[in-house]
Amino acid sequence: MAQLQRLAVTAAQISANKIDLTKEQQHYLNRVLRLQAGDRFIAMDGCGHWWSAILEVQETGLFASITEEIAVNRELPVAVTLIAALPKGNGFDEVVRQAAELGVASIVPVTSDRTLLKPSTQKVDRWRRIAAEAAEQSERQIVPTVYEPLSFDLAVKDCCQKYRYICVARGDNRHLWDCLAGLESPQIPLLRGEKEPDELSTVIAGLEPPQPPFLTGEEEPESIAIAVGPEGGWTDGEVERAIEFGFEPVSLGRRILRAVTAPMVALSLVGAAFEKYPSQKISP
């Protein structure tokens, strides 16, 4: 199935083993990907389900029929939330794209003391589209949640991830890799698990949207939050406030990284640490 094209759909589009394709999706499949009636592709709902689907034609346009569910395991064995200060210009587009490719579960854009960008609703919608496209391209099971921008203070105050780190460019702090090496990777079962073919209709009928892994009001087990700053880094006051709410200051190395580079380094370290030993467990 790896060679098939992938398309992100919503639970509301699926009914009775059929996918009601939007006009944009019909255009993308038929005009951009050049798929014809009878061609197969992979539909993903962004909540953990993958299906093999066949493109079909009806009087009102194209639709897709689901033939079977595909059991895959593409996700990190730990839920990672990226809390990222907004860089200037369109730099956050690339942060979202690459973070999605690297397996992040959710992205929280924050405004900080040194943030210049004031994002519009259109910006947030764009980031969510980018996350969906990146999830399709990288063959992920879920589409990362991109939240509305928050103030830094609210983001750290309401963060409920079990392990919390704030990346600081200067100072004598532990390297993030050393912190992650002290944790052990959990064995988390496939999202939505493997399903027998005769369970397919039940699965589709019972689809639920993913539960947000951020701001849920209680600590999330086996989860990590990483806060990465803007151009110029976090202020001393911001670092102190983060520490008050359980964040550990960490280093990403001896060099000073750009605001759009630091998130990629941090998430790459998480992937390297947790995907190397998938059979281990996080210690209580």
Side-chain angles (χ1 to χ4, degrees):
M1 295 293 181
Q3 73 278 11
L4 296 181
Q5 299 290 345
R6 293 165 298 282
L7 180 72
V9 299
T10 66
Q13 292 178 254
I14 304 174
S15 177
N17 291 6
K18 292 185 178 181
I19 304 173
D20 183 19
L21 299 170
T22 66
K23 293 295 183 183
E24 292 78 11
Q25 290 170 337
Q26 293 180 45
H27 175 83
Y28 177 68
L29 291 171
N30 185 233
R31 300 296 184 182
V32 179
L33 299 182
R34 304 296 183 184
L35 298 186
Q36 304 296 322
D39 288 341
R40 301 167 71 90
F41 66 95
I42 294 173
M44 47 179 284
D45 68 350
C47 306
H49 292 100
W50 272 28
W51 294 284
S52 174
I54 298 177
L55 193 62
E56 299 191 33
V57 181
Q58 57 187 5
E59 290 183 2
T60 55
L62 299 173
F63 72 100
S65 295
I66 292 174
T67 59
E68 61 179 340
E69 186 169 9
I70 306 170
V72 292
N73 187 2
R74 296 284 196 271
E75 297 303 312
L76 289 173
V78 63
V80 182
T81 293
L82 175 66
I83 303 172
L86 292 166
K88 57 189 176 183
N90 293 322
F92 205 69
D93 290 8
E94 197 60 25
V95 170
V96 170
R97 180 177 293 106
Q98 295 186 15
E101 292 177 10
L102 290 169
V104 74
S106 56
I107 301 170
V108 184
V110 298
T111 55
S112 68
D113 292 344
R114 291 174 173 154
T115 297
L116 299 177
L117 179 66
K118 304 297 181 185
S120 63
T121 301
Q122 289 75 19
K123 281 274 190 182
V124 178
D125 290 342
R126 173 177 170 79
W127 295 334
R128 288 170 177 163
R129 289 195 300 272
I130 290 172
E133 291 167 1
E136 291 176 6
Q137 185 276 328
S138 55
E139 300 189 3
R140 291 194 56 183
Q141 291 165 263
I142 69 166
V143 174
T145 302
V146 180
Y147 289 94
E148 297 285 340
L150 297 173
S151 69
F152 172 80
D153 287 350
L154 183 59
V156 296
K157 176 179 179 292
D158 289 342
C159 181
C160 56
Q161 274 59 40
K162 185 173 183 178
Y163 303 100
R164 307 166 195 178
Y165 305 105
I166 181 167
C167 300
V168 181
R170 295 178 174 85
D172 187 21
N173 299 305
R174 285 206 300 165
H175 197 285
L176 177 59
W177 175 260
D178 294 328
C179 298
L180 298 173
L183 309 177
E184 294 181 337
S185 178
Q187 182 67 28
I188 295 178
L190 279 177
L191 292 178
R192 298 297 190 268
E194 294 189 15
K195 302 295 179 182
E196 296 296 331
D198 59 0
E199 295 182 72
L200 182 57
S201 298
T202 304
V203 171
I204 294 173
L207 285 179
E208 296 180 357
Q211 295 302 309
F214 190 76
L215 305 179
T216 58
E218 58 185 50
E219 185 178 274
E220 293 287 335
E222 299 179 338
S223 57
I224 294 174
I226 300 177
V228 181
E231 287 90 349
W234 304 114
T235 64
D236 291 342
E238 287 171 331
V239 175
E240 291 171 2
R241 293 196 294 277
I243 293 173
E244 291 177 5
F245 291 107
F247 282 77
E248 178 181 351
V250 295
S251 168
L252 293 179
R254 299 176 181 176
R255 289 157 298 284
I256 305 300
L257 303 176
R258 296 173 62 227
V260 295
T261 306
M264 306 309 106
V265 173
L267 293 174
S268 296
L269 291 170
V270 174
F274 283 87
E275 291 188 306
K276 185 175 182 181
Y277 303 108
S279 62
Q280 297 177 346
K281 300 282 186 179
I282 279 186
S283 302

